[in-house]
Amino acid sequence: MTNYRWGGYLLVAMGLLNLRYQTGQAGVITHSLIILTPGLIILIMSFIPATVKILNTKAAKNISLVVGIATIIYAALN
């Protein structure tokens, strides 16, 4: 679960940094929420025992890895 939590914290931090440093840009709230939302979802899921079992499956690990990398790339290009 530690890797999920680190990834969630990373996406939350990137979303908040994006919001702060792009203040004044058109659509900054939307772009920041696109980055922040997956991080919040992963963080919340990593603390609920019922969803921890789901996150420990191989399919969930692969999906979360793809979503995390895509979100980081989106944040970098945005």
Side-chain angles (χ1 to χ4, degrees):
M1 283 300 95
T2 302
N3 289 337
Y4 281 114
R5 290 182 184 148
W6 279 96
Y9 289 132
L10 170 73
L11 294 177
V12 168
M14 288 179 76
L16 293 174
L17 286 170
N18 184 57
L19 181 64
R20 171 64 183 107
Y21 287 110
Q22 292 193 17
T23 301
Q25 297 288 332
V28 68
I29 293 175
T30 305
H31 295 297
S32 295
L33 284 176
I34 290 172
I35 300 165
L36 195 127
T37 304
L40 282 176
I41 291 170
I42 289 172
L43 263 177
I44 291 168
M45 287 180 71
S46 72
F47 285 104
I48 301 171
T51 58
V52 168
K53 293 177 185 175
I54 296 169
L55 290 175
N56 281 329
T57 64
K58 189 161 181 81
K61 289 178 183 179
N62 290 335
I63 290 170
S64 64
L65 183 65
V66 169
V67 169
I69 290 172
T71 306
I72 291 169
I73 291 171
Y74 175 79
L77 296 177
N78 183 7

